Amino acid sequence: MGLVHQFAVISKERDEDIISSNMESVSISDEIIRYIGDSIKWINTTWNGKRIREGISYHGFSFIEGDEIIKIKNIVIQWKELFLLSPEKFYLTGDFLPDKGEYDKNLIVKNEIIEALNSFIELCEKAIVTEGKILHNGI
């Protein structure tokens, strides 16, 4: 897997900004985060511990808290349902490559994306039950 975004549950009181190896975390590929990125902007998060912004901090860290956890969980559930309709392997359109005059095509394996999205949904459920927040580390 290339570039990834990591997510972990932390307590509401903590302000950690790095997901360590001893934390239970979920990794989602950058290709997927970028593809579903417009809908992720529908949530509000705290970027780099300072200000509330739409979406998640691409290069820094973000905290997803309160009702925003429920919102992102529901967004990811809908994407999972859509990807369940896909073939076992498929391509998602990536960035425009000016040198080639075409868009990048990212090969996606259905089982891998469904597994990652299910793990993220479970992470959201854990955050809701424990009244924690989700720490996101960008690429």
Side-chain angles (χ1 to χ4, degrees):
M1 187 184 295
L3 300 173
V4 296
H5 294 256
Q6 289 185 297
F7 300 86
V9 176
I10 61 174
S11 73
K12 201 181 295 189
E13 296 77 31
R14 291 171 66 184
D15 286 329
E16 290 182 64
D17 59 358
I18 301 284
I19 296 174
S20 60
S21 59
N22 65 339
M23 297 171 110
E24 179 186 343
S25 65
V26 172
S27 295
I28 299 181
S29 74
D30 185 50
E31 289 87 8
I32 300 303
I33 293 295
R34 290 172 59 180
Y35 194 80
I36 69 173
D38 286 339
S39 59
I40 292 175
K41 290 178 185 171
W42 300 341
I43 66 163
N44 294 307
T45 64
T46 304
W47 284 32
N48 302 321
K50 297 178 183 167
R51 35 184 242 203
I52 303 289
R53 298 206 41 196
E54 294 176 341
I56 54 178
S57 177
Y58 189 75
H59 295 289
F61 69 94
S62 313
F63 296 120
I64 307 168
E65 303 178 68
D67 290 341
E68 300 303 305
I69 297 171
I70 296 167
K71 191 184 297 184
I72 196 167
K73 174 187 157 194
N74 288 328
I75 290 168
V76 170
I77 287 170
Q78 297 307 313
W79 277 107
K80 181 188 97 169
E81 291 300 316
L82 182 62
F83 288 129
L84 281 170
L85 300 173
S86 73
E88 294 306 313
K89 292 183 179 181
F90 60 98
Y91 289 92
L92 293 178
T93 303
D95 290 334
F96 184 72
L97 306 171
D99 295 344
K100 294 183 178 182
E102 61 188 40
Y103 286 91
D104 193 17
K105 297 289 182 190
N106 300 307
L107 178 63
I108 306 297
V109 178
K110 179 180 182 175
N111 294 359
E112 293 173 4
I113 189 171
I114 297 302
E115 184 179 317
L117 296 178
N118 277 333
S119 295
F120 183 81
I121 293 164
E122 290 172 13
L123 190 80
C124 289
E125 290 169 352
K126 182 178 180 181
I128 293 165
V129 168
T130 63
E131 297 183 359
K133 60 186 175 183
I134 296 176
L135 167 61
H136 160 258
N137 283 167
I139 60 165

